[in-house]
Amino acid sequence: MSAESPKTEITEFTNPNLEILYTVDEIKDRIREIGQQITNDHRGRDLVLVGVLKGSCVFLADLMREIDLQLTIDFMSVSSYKDGTVSTGDVEILKDLSNPIRGKDVIVVEDIVDTGLTLSRLLEILSSRGARSIKLASFLDKPEPRVKTQLKIDYTGFVVPNKFLVGYGLDAAGRYRNLPFIAAVRDPSAA
Ligand code: IMP
Ligand code: MG
């Protein structure tokens, strides 16, 4: 028998630089609850889910399958964090909606609300377009750095500590969106 123990390969998902905060199962259970809430609140409405690219793509994909209603989806892309971790407050529309939202009940779907600058600006822009209602669903709510304190989040997955989080759509300079869990990066300078 060899004295060498089998080496456990470190992969993207088992990276020891990641501290898991919410597991796959916890996320699944919570999203089921939010989906049921949204279903109950929007019966008989003309519902549109607007995903804010790119971070919301995983949340949106899971959430919409827990909403047992007739609905459509659309996407917007805005720039906020430019490959860094500090919010600039500047919001530029990189991709606008494909369809009008006039008369519709809109839920803007975000990955995380941090300072709230991005969402406040985005909601301002959307509110001039004649929607019947506009609500906000954010998978994560990080209230500590909030600048736009009046911003109301109608549906939240988890309220999180003031740490830089990745996974489940959230990235650090483009990386980690594919992690199936939410993690904090222990050492942001380490690869
Ligand atoms: P806010 O304008 O500060 O609220 O930030 C909005 C955007 O910043 C989010 O949609 C995310 O794309 C990004 N962001 C904020 N906090 C984090 C984080 O902890 N991890 C990854 N991205 C974040
Ligand atoms: Mg992002």
Side-chain angles (χ1 to χ4, degrees):
M1 207 176 124
S2 161
E4 264 181 62
S5 60
K7 280 202 187 111
T8 315
E9 193 199 347
I10 292 175
T11 69
E12 187 72 344
F13 292 177
T14 62
N15 181 348
N17 195 28
L18 300 175
E19 176 199 351
I20 297 181
L21 262 67
Y22 299 102
T23 64
V24 170
D25 289 342
E26 285 168 331
I27 292 171
K28 196 173 172 32
D29 290 348
R30 185 68 189 113
I31 288 184
R32 178 156 298 151
E33 289 172 359
I34 304 172
Q36 281 169 0
Q37 236 181 308
I38 293 176
T39 303
N40 291 333
D41 292 350
H42 294 82
R43 289 187 206 285
R45 303 279 188 222
D46 196 354
L47 182 60
V48 188
L49 304 181
V50 171
V52 185
L53 294 171
K54 300 169 188 166
S56 73
C57 70
V58 183
F59 178 42
L60 178 75
D62 284 347
L63 180 65
M64 68 181 188
R65 284 176 290 178
E66 298 291 351
I67 302 174
D68 188 0
L69 296 173
Q70 198 174 311
L71 59 77
T72 60
I73 64 169
D74 207 337
F75 294 96
M76 280 187 92
S77 178
V78 295
S79 67
S80 50
Y81 284 37
K82 316 225 181 212
D83 267 2
T85 58
V86 179
S87 187
T88 61
D90 281 348
V91 173
E92 187 191 346
I93 296 184
L94 303 176
K95 184 221 170 291
D96 208 334
L97 297 174
S98 303
N99 294 110
I101 53 171
R102 180 161 297 279
K104 310 219 178 239
D105 285 272
V106 174
I107 300 180
V108 175
V109 180
E110 248 293 27
D111 53 358
I112 184 167
V113 178
D114 184 326
T115 63
L117 290 165
T118 311
L119 252 296
S120 295
R121 184 71 194 109
L122 188 62
L123 293 174
E124 258 173 40
I125 294 167
L126 292 181
S127 64
S128 66
R129 297 187 184 180
R132 185 180 174 281
S133 69
I134 301 182
K135 287 185 185 165
L136 174 58
S138 183
F139 179 60
L140 302 179
D141 173 10
K142 195 198 283 183
E144 214 175 298
R146 191 71 36 81
V147 174
K148 296 285 179 183
T149 47
Q150 76 281 17
L151 184 72
K152 179 172 175 252
I153 307 176
D154 300 279
Y155 305 99
T156 306
F158 301 103
V159 178
V160 296
N162 193 12
K163 292 180 176 179
F164 194 76
L165 304 176
V166 295
Y168 200 71
L170 287 99
D171 70 303
R175 187 179 172 183
Y176 299 123
R177 292 193 200 277
N178 57 321
L179 302 178
F181 46 79
I182 289 284
V185 180
R186 293 183 205 274
D187 176 5
S189 65

